[in-house]
Amino acid sequence: MRCCCCGQVLLSPGTPQIRALSLKLLVRAGALVTLMLVVACFVAGHAHITFWLICLPWTCTHLRQVCWMQLVFRELYTSRPGLVPAILDSLLDLSLSDSNIAEVHSNVLKNLHASEPQHLPCVMKFLLSYAQQTTAYQVVSEIREKLHLPKEDSNGAGPSSRRTTPNSEHADIAVLVCSTIRMALLLKKYLVNAWLKAIDDVEYIKVRTEDLLVLVVVHDAVPARRRVVHSVLRNKIRTGLVYDVLLHSALANNSAVKREYFESLKKLAGVMVRSPEPAVAQFGVAIYRTLFETSQGSASLQQEVVVALLAHMGDDRHVRLSSLTLLASLAHRHTAHMARFAIYLKGSLEQLERLSLQESRCLLDAVCAVAASDNTTALHSELAIHTRKMLNSTDIRYKRLGVLSAVLTLKNSFESSATEECGEGSECGGGGEDMLDMVQVCTASCPPASALFMDELSSTILRDGINLKLERWLSGKLEESFENMFVVDLEPASPETATPLMQLPLQLAFDLEVEEQAEIVLNLATLVEKLEQHRQQQKSSKASRAATIADTQNSGAQMQTIILTLAPHLRLLRMLTCHLNNGDLTAIDGLLGCPVYYPHPDVLTSEGFSGLPPDQQSLVLSCLFFAANWFRELINAFVTQKAPELKKKVYARLRNLLEVERTLSTLLPLCPSYRPHVVASHVDPDTTLTLPTPAGCSAAAGSRKKGRKPKSSKKSKPETTVSATQASQAPATLAPSQPSTSQPPATQLPLTQPPQEKLKNCDLSACTPFLRELHLDVFSLLFRTMCLDVDLQSAGNQLSVLEADFLLTDLNLKLAHVFGAAKRSSALDKNTSDKGAGFWHLSLFSAEEVASQTHRFVKPICVHLDNISTLFSSLIADHDGILDCSGVLNERTLPVARVQRQLLTALQLLLTWPQLHAHCNIYTAMLVLVCRKTWPHHSMEEVQALPLQQLVWGAFCYARRQIHALLELGSAVLLVRLLESIVGLAKLLGYESVPEDREQESEEASSSTHLSDESPELRNLYSYKLGEVVTSVLQRNWTTAAEGLPDKGTVYNQRIAVLLQCWLRTSTRSLTAIHHICTTGLEEYTGSSGRDPVSDTFPTLNKGTLGIYVSCLLSNLSPSVKKALAAAELFNLSADLSEEEENRRYFDVWGSAVDVYTKLFRVVKQHHSRHLLSACLKYARPFLELFLHVGMSVMDTCLRSRKDEVCKLFKTLQSATRILQTMCTESKVKKDVTLTSHVPVIRRSLATLVFRVKAMLVRHNCSQAFWLGVLKNRNLDGDIIASQSGEIVEDAKKTEEKTHSAPPDDGEEETESGEGVELEDELSDVELEEETSEYNKSLKGMKRKKPVCESDDEIDVDNDNEETAEEEEEDDEEESETVDDGTDYSASF
């Protein structure tokens, strides 16, 4: 303060004296003094202005606070960014009106992205404190778009950041912002739902780091909403969220927030990893991995992650496997950090007994990796002792664990020695030889353990390799032992003609050495005979399991069971030879063409096999199994060879394999007591295996009438499962429960099997534990040209139909195992079989590695698909397009059609990998291969130069043109799924519509009449194109191959349901499609005369599929209305229509929906059955609930302006609700438990709707428009339901509300509603609560509030108070509303 005369400084503005004096002046002075002080503040510093701003609310009167608010906010907020906290704090103390607060709130929200990092906590506090419930969703949506948390490794957060802030301050700012959000969520519950809905509504590609952090904050702050957080995350993952980069960005750049919410992150990861969905479980694994990798500066946090992973060992099987796999990965990638926690890994070894073999492998891999990093630690010594102890155990379980430990120790020691540049002559080679010698000695008397050792060692050599010196030493020993044990010299003069003990007739079969005489032969039958003899001796022995194994510690027992190591021995020998000779197998190519001692053809027929004694039958079947496994390993080994002679032999071995398995499937049903030997060395001894059953038995069981099973069926059902140990030790002659007898086979067979003429071939798909796995390289055989003549089982150098079917079936199983997103079975599932059986070798590779190896198969798949399409198109053209004639559907074309289905399935599986969109090179390569077939006139270079959008369109065109060459509905369903996969990939890549400069379409799908008036923009959408294909399939008359009659049955109905659901789920205007089906298909069906009515436009709509159509249309009606309302709202916002025009568009949507709803119920009343009643009671509620929540608001607004139209709509709806009420009554009369379970909630919704209508009429001053009457209870046929006394009385009175022609400002309406079981949301698992239960809200806020979600994937809103509603049976009285223009209200009321 200066003197007004001399200018001398009397008091400094910053001194306590001037502040005290100013405060007195501000309190005592009037408006003029206050204004002068405020003006003085504008030219002062930040500290002084902050002081004046704090004092300002206490000096202004209530009337002047608005002026000061406008002055301070307009002049200081934008010009002085440093004063933002003080300005917002002062505004919080002002007494402002709602409109003024809303104005300030809007301006602050608009400038959020330009806020300084240090001001974000204060700004967020202000925005969330003044967020109103009605606008919370919009406020939160804008906040999540403009909020940018400062990164710890950056100098600014927003675009306008100018200052350099230390990383510690940035960390504190992020924590303060999260704490502010957390406090706001605790104070205002509606903000929780607003945040969750805003994040759930955003597309997966637009999910930001801040979204993930907010979900973590909600998970920590509001425990009651954790399930909703899990649901939102699952929804995003299912739609294709790439979470690896997102997690790393969220946790690595916000380490302070991570430490603050570490426990919540750990709990969230634990919940996710326990999910039955593989993709969601991998998200939990990714959280654990990111927490560990981003906490390398904090050993305590890493320790908590390790302990949490080890704690999952008490969870389900798939959870244990996921956690232990991550533990092994961390041990290899961060060995130094994991070495700190060696004590925890050491203690986990005690749990090995209760783990499966695959889980034990992961745990031992982690322990061995840590132990190998430092040979001087106690863990290394204890692991060596533990390995020797388990190898010397007499229990096969511990011996197998010892084998795993030894192989993994060898692998990890080689990796550590490789990093230390250990040469070939160093100790590591000698130590490896000692380890291998020890394992060989300890497993010599236990062939199953020896087989596991060979398989594990071969996998290690394939993936990681071992010391070259050790490989040469091991290769020499294996070659010598293989020749001594399995191969004998061939003597052409006197070959063996029978087995030594059982005298089974033999032959020298499968000799490929045509030009020169074979010198060696595989002694298969003799070795299998020794194995069968040994199994019978084991079963007859009464000794214990341990004693039995102890008895086998001799060379005689080893030689008897050595055949169990045949396939693993060949696999290991092949891996070593291939690795040492750079892929060349010339040194062992003699094994590929050598003959085999094989059962004589006379005993391989059904008649000859039935005449054999039981022991010889078991010997024959075992020979077939071992021969099939021998050929499988030969094909795996030599399929990669380039020599033409070896290629021909590989093709021949494939035919031999099919011949052996065909014989096996024929003979296996004739000996139901046979138990194969387990050759899959990774299968646990106590794993329950499902044995194959004859197809004839299952067909006979399925032909019985559906209904309640008799009580004796469980007793008469034979056992079809056996453990792996029992399978290897059970006698080959009799079932385990049967005593050994000497009765002839003729007296035993009729007691254990049906007559021979009723038995069919056995399906070998359940024999995966007994058959060796084919490698991915085997499917390169698909590159051969396929012969489409089914009569040629061996087509020379071409691939026959049977061979192609065999290869494609196995390929599809592998692709489904790797790329499939099917849910795992529950932990309480009684089926404990290992679902990984048959995929042990495949599990060595990640999904990305499998995709990189299999995408090249797209080319032969497309070639074969084109050839089959050309064949079928020519057949259809030759028979004038008639599919049900004998020239098109016959025994010659059905196998080819099966191959066509397999090809479509393979292509669909390759394109539906959930993470495909994240690997540009892989999907681009596949699309190029497909487009090369779409546009054959283009060269490969020209196709590769096309943009990605054009490639996606080319793939869609290629798949779509296959629709004209389909003979069966099953193939059409697979083609639609393939097209849906391409559309899904296009959506993930950001392409909703086809390119404008697309190539001329070579094949146009049949145009659908109901969509002929659509706009060009809609016609260019992929969903529209897909709908055209589905429509053409549904409008086609599909027939059976046998009689040429229309197809029908359960499978047919399921396929129709798949097509309808796909069409309505992917269509952008699904309500239009539903309306078209109702107005054409259903009306044609109801108007059709005859015993079997059918629609002319949709031949698939008949008496058998009516229930499917009604169920699909009703279940998709509510989501379709939501899509239509969302589209109408977007159009209204973009077109800037008036309020009346907006309401008109909403009303049109509801008019169409109510019309569809009513037509469906009328059809059900005319053709009612139990299935139709169940569908209506189940799916009727969601539409009426949506009508209550959203539709009644539209009716409120339109009641005065469109009285007649509203009246007509309620008249239409009344006919449906009356039928629904009749259904409820009839279901209770019939006492059907399934149907009556829906009645209480439906009638509760009826009462809710009645009260809602009354409230609307009261609001419009026409409450007297109700007329109460009495209705009689009738069934669907119109008959009056009698009372308990037998008289025709009004037992269940229904009160009916009637609204009639109202005065000029009154309205008319009528409605009833039924509520059944909630629709199953495809994405969301948990519903968000609705914060208010008021239905009669004004429509003025419709522009600010989204009336519906844009897609049915959004979490629905439901009332929680429904659980406490009374579930009274309203049989005596029920209120309903009717419309009758001829009645006066006053008199009626």
Side-chain angles (χ1 to χ4, degrees):
M1 180 178 296
R2 298 179 182 269
C3 178
C4 59
C5 300
C6 62
Q8 183 181 1
V9 177
L10 301 179
L11 290 174
S12 175
T15 59
Q17 294 87 349
I18 188 61
R19 293 190 179 183
L21 179 60
S22 301
L23 182 60
K24 292 180 180 179
L25 292 174
L26 287 172
V27 173
R28 297 177 181 177
L32 181 60
V33 176
T34 305
L35 180 60
M36 292 174 59
L37 291 175
V38 172
V39 172
C41 289
F42 287 134
V43 297
H46 288 291
H48 310 310
I49 299 178
T50 302
F51 171 72
W52 303 124
L53 289 173
I54 294 174
C55 299
L56 182 62
W58 307 100
T59 61
C60 299
T61 62
H62 178 71
L63 298 177
R64 294 173 181 171
Q65 285 186 2
V66 177
C67 300
W68 303 138
M69 179 271 298
Q70 296 177 352
L71 177 63
V72 171
F73 189 81
R74 291 175 182 175
E75 299 296 335
L76 294 181
Y77 188 82
T78 56
S79 61
R80 299 290 184 93
L83 297 177
V84 169
I87 294 173
L88 295 181
D89 287 340
S90 64
L91 290 177
L92 289 174
D93 295 329
L94 294 177
S95 299
L96 303 176
S97 63
D98 294 341
S99 60
N100 294 328
I101 293 177
E103 180 184 356
V104 176
H105 191 275
S106 177
N107 292 330
V108 174
L109 184 60
K110 185 183 301 183
N111 297 321
L112 175 61
H113 63 283
S115 300
E116 294 291 336
Q118 59 270 23
H119 299 158
L120 284 177
C122 183
V123 174
M124 289 295 299
K125 180 181 178 181
F126 177 81
L127 292 176
L128 296 177
S129 298
Y130 282 104
Q132 301 299 321
Q133 182 174 355
T134 55
T135 60
Y137 178 83
Q138 288 74 19
V139 171
V140 168
S141 299
E142 194 167 353
I143 288 177
R144 65 159 300 278
E145 293 178 358
K146 295 182 178 181
L147 177 62
H148 298 276
L149 292 178
K151 299 180 180 179
E152 296 183 13
D153 56 349
S154 63
N155 295 329
S160 63
S161 298
R162 296 290 187 270
R163 302 178 182 179
T164 301
T165 309
N167 290 340
S168 59
E169 294 185 11
H170 281 176
D172 296 338
I173 291 171
V175 173
L176 287 175
V177 171
C178 292
S179 300
T180 302
I181 296 175
R182 186 178 188 276
M183 184 60 63
L185 296 178
L186 291 175
L187 295 177
K188 298 183 178 181
K189 182 180 177 182
Y190 58 83
L191 288 178
V192 179
N193 286 342
W195 274 108
L196 294 175
K197 289 181 71 64
I199 298 175
D200 190 69
D201 287 346
V202 70
E203 296 182 6
Y204 77 97
I205 56 177
K206 297 181 181 179
V207 176
R208 302 172 61 243
T209 301
E210 287 76 8
D211 295 333
L212 184 60
L213 294 179
V214 168
L215 289 177
V216 175
V217 172
V218 175
H219 189 274
D220 178 75
V222 192
R225 309 301 287 162
R226 288 179 178 175
R227 291 185 61 192
V228 186
V229 174
H230 304 157
S231 178
V232 171
L233 288 172
R234 279 192 292 265
N235 292 349
K236 299 305 176 187
I237 295 170
R238 291 165 184 165
T239 54
L241 175 66
V242 182
Y243 46 76
D244 292 330
V245 179
L246 187 66
L247 279 174
H248 189 273
S249 175
L251 301 182
N253 298 331
N254 302 278
S255 59
V257 178
K258 178 193 67 179
R259 289 191 296 270
E260 184 74 16
Y261 298 96
F262 189 83
E263 290 298 325
S264 291
L265 284 167
K266 200 169 60 171
K267 292 179 181 178
L268 181 62
V271 173
M272 292 290 104
V273 83
R274 292 185 180 94
S275 174
E277 302 177 56
V280 179
Q282 287 304 312
F283 176 71
V285 172
I287 296 178
Y288 277 130
R289 182 178 61 251
T290 309
L291 285 175
F292 187 91
E293 292 177 347
T294 57
S295 304
Q296 295 185 3
S298 176
S300 60
L301 297 182
Q302 289 184 333
Q303 176 182 333
E304 291 190 31
V305 174
V306 173
V307 172
L309 290 175
L310 292 175
H312 283 301
M313 293 174 63
D315 287 327
D316 298 339
R317 180 180 60 86
H318 72 274
V319 182
R320 293 196 303 266
L321 183 60
S322 299
S323 60
L324 293 175
T325 302
L326 175 60
L327 203 64
S329 175
L330 294 177
H332 284 281
R333 298 175 59 183
H334 308 281
T335 309
H337 295 279
M338 287 293 295
R340 307 174 186 174
F341 319 112
I343 186 65
Y344 297 102
L345 298 177
K346 175 184 174 182
S348 64
L349 293 176
E350 301 176 357
Q351 305 292 329
L352 282 175
E353 300 179 11
R354 56 184 300 272
L355 299 180
S356 65
L357 196 66
Q358 190 175 5
E359 297 161 3
S360 302
R361 189 183 192 278
C362 296
L363 179 58
L364 288 173
D365 194 14
V367 175
C368 293
V370 174
S373 61
D374 189 1
N375 297 339
T376 61
T377 59
L379 181 62
H380 185 274
S381 303
E382 182 155 347
L383 181 62
I385 297 174
H386 191 266
T387 302
R388 290 179 178 271
K389 180 180 178 181
M390 289 188 295
L391 284 173
N392 292 319
S393 175
T394 57
D395 195 333
I396 187 175
R397 300 176 186 175
Y398 295 106
K399 194 177 288 291
R400 287 156 61 93
L401 293 176
V403 167
L404 284 179
S405 180
V407 174
L408 293 173
T409 300
L410 185 64
K411 184 193 80 169
N412 288 282
S413 62
F414 170 71
E415 290 179 355
S416 61
S417 62
T419 57
E420 299 172 1
E421 298 181 358
C422 178
E424 294 184 7
S426 61
E427 293 184 358
C428 59
E433 292 178 3
D434 296 340
M435 177 70 72
L436 292 178
D437 283 334
M438 180 183 66
V439 176
Q440 185 179 6
V441 171
C442 294
T443 60
S445 58
C446 185
S450 180
L452 177 63
F453 167 69
M454 294 179 183
D455 278 333
E456 284 294 323
L457 188 57
S458 61
S459 299
T460 301
I461 295 172
L462 174 65
R463 294 288 297 172
D464 307 301
I466 58 176
N467 187 271
L468 291 178
K469 178 182 178 181
L470 191 61
E471 288 184 3
R472 295 191 187 99
W473 173 80
L474 184 60
S475 178
K477 294 192 64 175
L478 284 176
E479 289 181 5
E480 182 180 358
S481 61
F482 192 90
E483 293 178 1
N484 296 333
M485 290 187 296
F486 304 114
V487 177
V488 296
D489 295 334
L490 177 61
E491 298 179 2
S494 58
E496 295 184 12
T497 58
T499 56
L501 300 177
M502 300 183 185
Q503 295 299 314
L504 179 70
L506 301 178
Q507 67 167 340
L508 194 65
F510 309 117
D511 186 7
L512 300 182
E513 302 294 343
V514 180
E515 298 180 356
E516 55 185 19
Q517 182 65 37
E519 299 180 356
I520 58 175
V521 61
L522 182 67
N523 193 18
L524 181 69
T526 303
L527 295 176
V528 173
E529 184 186 41
K530 294 179 180 180
L531 177 63
E532 291 295 324
Q533 192 71 20
H534 176 72
R535 185 162 68 169
Q536 293 182 13
Q537 293 174 1
Q538 276 191 322
K539 188 60 181 179
S540 61
S541 175
K542 300 294 181 69
S544 63
R545 185 167 183 256
T548 302
I549 296 180
D551 292 340
T552 61
Q553 309 288 333
N554 55 74
S555 58
Q558 176 188 359
M559 293 306 299
Q560 285 182 335
T561 58
I562 198 63
I563 189 63
L564 294 174
T565 63
L566 173 62
H569 205 140
L570 175 61
R571 183 169 183 255
L572 179 57
L573 180 60
R574 168 249 175 161
M575 291 294 179
L576 289 170
T577 306
C578 184
H579 197 259
L580 291 173
N581 300 314
N582 296 324
D584 188 14
L585 298 179
T586 307
I588 59 173
D589 61 356
L591 297 176
L592 180 59
C594 74
V596 179
Y597 279 129
Y598 190 70
H600 198 272
D602 294 340
V603 300
L604 298 180
T605 61
S606 299
E607 295 78 8
F609 183 82
S610 301
L612 296 176
D615 54 350
Q616 289 190 2
Q617 287 183 353
S618 299
L619 176 58
V620 170
L621 293 176
S622 297
C623 287
L624 293 176
F625 271 107
F626 279 100
N629 291 322
W630 169 253
F631 292 143
R632 283 172 173 260
E633 283 301 330
L634 284 178
I635 295 173
N636 289 335
F638 292 94
V639 73
T640 57
Q641 300 301 300
K642 304 300 182 182
E645 295 181 358
L646 295 181
K647 285 185 176 181
K648 292 181 180 179
K649 291 182 180 180
V650 170
Y651 299 155
R653 287 309 183 200
L654 177 61
R655 299 189 183 102
N656 298 150
L657 173 62
L658 291 178
E659 178 184 349
V660 171
E661 293 192 358
R662 194 180 308 113
T663 305
L664 186 61
S665 63
T666 304
L667 301 182
L668 197 58
L670 301 179
C671 187
S673 60
Y674 173 72
R675 296 295 179 264
H677 298 273
V678 178
V679 296
S681 56
H682 60 278
V683 177
D684 292 333
D686 293 336
T687 299
T688 304
L689 305 174
T690 303
L691 296 176
T693 55
C697 298
S698 61
S703 63
R704 284 181 273 179
K705 289 185 177 181
K706 295 182 180 180
R708 187 172 298 176
K709 295 182 179 180
K711 295 182 179 181
S712 60
S713 60
K714 297 183 179 180
K715 298 181 180 180
S716 61
K717 183 179 180 180
E719 287 290 335
T720 58
T721 58
V722 65
S723 66
T725 306
Q726 295 172 349
S728 60
Q729 296 179 359
T733 56
L734 297 172
S737 60
Q738 291 178 338
S740 178
T741 59
S742 59
Q743 294 180 356
T747 60
Q748 288 186 359
L749 287 177
L751 298 177
T752 58
Q753 68 181 30
Q756 289 186 7
E757 60 271 14
K758 294 184 180 180
L759 285 178
K760 298 181 180 180
N761 292 348
C762 180
D763 184 12
L764 296 183
S765 61
C767 295
T768 49
F770 315 113
L771 296 173
R772 300 288 292 186
E773 179 184 357
L774 291 177
H775 297 177
L776 291 176
D777 294 330
V778 174
F779 303 109
S780 60
L781 297 174
L782 292 172
F783 283 90
R784 298 173 62 195
T785 305
M786 183 171 59
C787 178
L788 298 180
D789 191 353
V790 296
D791 294 336
L792 299 177
Q793 296 184 0
S794 60
N797 293 329
Q798 294 183 338
L799 198 67
S800 67
V801 174
L802 297 179
E803 295 166 358
D805 187 15
F806 171 78
L807 293 174
L808 290 170
T809 301
D810 196 84
L811 175 62
N812 290 338
L813 290 175
K814 288 179 169 55
L815 294 179
H817 178 75
V818 177
F819 299 147
K823 292 186 178 181
R824 299 187 182 99
S825 60
S826 173
L828 302 178
D829 192 359
K830 296 181 179 180
N831 185 13
T832 59
S833 60
D834 187 4
K835 294 186 177 181
F839 306 106
W840 180 261
H841 178 78
L842 191 66
S843 63
L844 299 175
F845 307 95
S846 64
E848 182 179 358
E849 292 173 332
V850 173
S852 62
Q853 295 183 44
T854 55
H855 78 272
R856 58 192 177 99
F857 300 140
V858 172
K859 181 178 180 179
I861 288 175
C862 293
V863 171
H864 299 324
L865 201 56
D866 284 342
N867 294 336
I868 295 176
S869 299
T870 303
L871 173 65
F872 287 168
S873 297
S874 62
L875 286 176
I876 295 174
D878 293 341
H879 295 83
D880 299 329
I882 301 176
L883 297 181
D884 56 350
C885 61
S886 59
V888 178
L889 286 174
N890 51 43
E891 296 180 355
R892 296 173 59 86
T893 58
L894 289 181
V896 182
R898 174 178 169 80
V899 174
Q900 186 185 40
R901 292 197 300 270
Q902 297 289 351
L903 292 168
L904 293 172
T905 302
L907 204 56
Q908 183 250 344
L909 289 172
L910 286 171
L911 292 174
T912 51
W913 178 32
Q915 301 300 325
L916 179 61
H917 63 280
H919 300 83
C920 179
N921 296 334
I922 296 177
Y923 68 71
T924 302
M926 287 193 291
L927 293 177
V928 166
L929 293 174
V930 176
C931 291
R932 184 69 179 87
K933 298 299 178 183
T934 308
W935 303 304
H937 57 278
H938 289 335
S939 63
M940 180 60 72
E941 291 76 12
E942 293 176 346
V943 175
Q944 291 176 349
L946 292 175
L948 184 58
Q949 186 179 10
Q950 194 76 25
L951 294 177
V952 175
W953 168 244
F956 185 89
C957 290
Y958 173 81
R960 186 180 59 175
R961 74 184 186 189
Q962 307 294 329
I963 192 66
H964 303 291
L966 301 179
L967 303 183
E968 294 181 322
L969 182 61
S971 301
V973 172
L974 292 174
L975 179 61
V976 170
R977 287 178 174 174
L978 173 59
L979 289 170
E980 188 179 9
S981 303
I982 299 175
V983 173
L985 179 61
K987 183 178 180 181
L988 293 177
L989 297 177
Y991 305 131
E992 294 286 346
S993 58
V994 301
E996 296 180 358
D997 55 342
R998 59 184 181 272
E999 297 272 344
Q1000 181 66 28
E1001 302 177 20
S1002 56
E1003 295 285 346
E1004 284 290 345
S1006 300
S1007 59
S1008 49
T1009 57
H1010 73 289
L1011 299 176
S1012 58
D1013 57 343
E1014 301 295 352
S1015 62
E1017 293 79 7
L1018 185 61
R1019 288 175 176 272
N1020 289 333
L1021 294 177
Y1022 276 108
S1023 57
Y1024 182 90
K1025 303 290 184 182
L1026 178 60
E1028 287 183 335
V1029 176
V1030 178
T1031 305
S1032 64
V1033 174
L1034 294 174
Q1035 292 177 349
R1036 187 169 168 180
N1037 189 15
W1038 301 96
T1039 57
T1040 58
E1043 299 85 5
L1045 299 176
D1047 202 353
K1048 60 181 179 179
T1050 305
V1051 177
Y1052 177 77
N1053 293 344
Q1054 292 175 353
R1055 290 169 176 171
I1056 296 297
V1058 169
L1059 293 172
L1060 287 171
Q1061 293 285 2
C1062 174
W1063 182 16
L1064 301 177
R1065 181 177 61 250
T1066 58
S1067 176
T1068 55
R1069 301 192 63 180
S1070 53
L1071 183 60
T1072 304
I1074 294 176
H1075 190 270
H1076 172 68
I1077 295 175
C1078 291
T1079 55
T1080 57
L1082 290 179
E1083 289 183 0
E1084 291 174 356
Y1085 176 84
T1086 54
S1088 177
S1089 60
R1091 183 177 180 182
D1092 296 324
V1094 65
S1095 170
D1096 296 332
T1097 306
F1098 293 93
T1100 53
L1101 175 57
N1102 50 44
K1103 185 177 180 180
T1105 60
L1106 178 61
I1108 300 298
Y1109 268 83
V1110 172
S1111 300
C1112 293
L1113 296 181
L1114 270 179
S1115 62
N1116 286 277
L1117 183 57
S1118 296
S1120 301
V1121 173
K1122 292 179 181 180
K1123 290 182 182 180
L1125 291 175
E1129 183 184 15
L1130 290 177
F1131 181 83
N1132 294 339
L1133 295 176
S1134 60
D1136 194 17
L1137 302 177
S1138 62
E1139 183 177 357
E1140 183 178 357
E1141 293 175 345
E1142 291 179 2
N1143 295 331
R1144 177 66 184 180
R1145 295 184 64 87
Y1146 293 137
F1147 185 82
D1148 292 342
V1149 172
W1150 284 111
S1152 177
V1154 169
D1155 184 52
V1156 169
Y1157 190 75
T1158 305
K1159 288 180 179 179
L1160 290 174
F1161 274 92
R1162 288 173 178 171
V1163 171
V1164 173
K1165 182 179 181 181
Q1166 183 177 355
H1167 305 275
H1168 59 273
S1169 63
R1170 186 187 180 280
H1171 178 67
L1172 290 175
L1173 292 179
S1174 177
C1176 289
L1177 292 176
K1178 183 177 181 181
Y1179 297 120
R1181 170 185 173 245
F1183 173 79
L1184 292 171
E1185 280 296 306
L1186 184 63
F1187 185 81
L1188 277 170
H1189 285 73
V1190 183
M1192 288 301 299
S1193 300
V1194 179
M1195 300 301 113
D1196 279 339
T1197 308
C1198 299
L1199 185 61
R1200 293 181 180 272
S1201 59
R1202 295 181 178 88
K1203 175 189 60 177
D1204 296 335
E1205 295 180 8
V1206 173
C1207 175
K1208 182 179 180 181
L1209 185 143
F1210 282 116
K1211 281 184 179 181
T1212 306
L1213 184 60
Q1214 182 186 14
S1215 59
T1217 54
R1218 281 183 173 179
I1219 297 174
L1220 181 60
Q1221 176 62 40
T1222 305
M1223 291 178 182
C1224 295
T1225 305
E1226 183 163 346
S1227 62
K1228 299 192 71 174
V1229 171
K1230 291 184 177 180
K1231 298 181 180 180
D1232 192 316
V1233 178
T1234 304
L1235 298 180
T1236 54
S1237 62
H1238 304 296
V1239 172
V1241 288
I1242 289 178
R1243 289 190 166 172
R1244 189 165 61 226
S1245 294
L1246 291 173
T1248 303
L1249 184 57
V1250 167
F1251 290 124
R1252 176 64 180 89
V1253 172
K1254 287 182 178 180
M1256 185 187 68
L1257 294 177
V1258 169
R1259 181 180 180 183
H1260 289 275
N1261 300 322
C1262 55
S1263 59
Q1264 56 185 356
F1266 286 89
W1267 181 82
L1268 303 180
V1270 178
L1271 294 178
K1272 297 180 180 179
N1273 276 339
R1274 300 177 183 270
N1275 56 20
L1276 291 174
D1277 295 327
D1279 301 330
I1280 299 177
I1281 299 176
S1283 64
Q1284 295 181 357
S1285 60
E1287 299 177 0
I1288 306 300
V1289 297
E1290 300 158 356
D1291 185 32
K1293 299 179 181 179
K1294 305 170 192 172
T1295 307
E1296 190 176 27
E1297 289 176 38
K1298 295 187 178 181
T1299 59
H1300 309 288
S1301 54
D1305 55 345
D1306 289 346
E1308 305 178 10
E1309 58 196 295
E1310 184 284 328
T1311 179
E1312 286 183 354
S1313 106
E1315 179 174 349
V1317 179
E1318 293 184 6
L1319 284 174
E1320 182 180 357
D1321 195 340
E1322 294 179 1
L1323 294 183
S1324 179
D1325 308 82
V1326 182
E1327 294 184 351
L1328 292 179
E1329 294 179 354
E1330 187 183 17
E1331 299 301 334
T1332 176
S1333 60
E1334 300 180 12
Y1335 289 116
N1336 53 354
K1337 291 182 178 180
S1338 176
L1339 200 64
K1340 296 180 181 179
M1342 289 191 63
K1343 291 185 178 180
R1344 294 180 298 172
K1345 182 179 179 181
K1346 294 182 64 177
V1348 291
C1349 55
E1350 187 172 351
S1351 65
D1352 49 60
D1353 297 340
E1354 185 180 7
I1355 298 179
D1356 294 332
V1357 179
D1358 199 1
N1359 287 327
D1360 289 343
N1361 57 8
E1362 182 180 294
E1363 298 177 358
T1364 59
E1366 299 180 2
E1367 298 185 5
E1368 302 181 17
E1369 296 184 2
E1370 304 178 18
D1371 291 76
D1372 296 333
E1373 286 190 354
E1374 181 68 23
E1375 293 187 350
S1376 61
E1377 302 160 290
T1378 60
V1379 180
D1380 187 2
D1381 295 335
T1383 307
D1384 186 10
Y1385 325 108
S1386 54
S1388 302
F1389 188 78

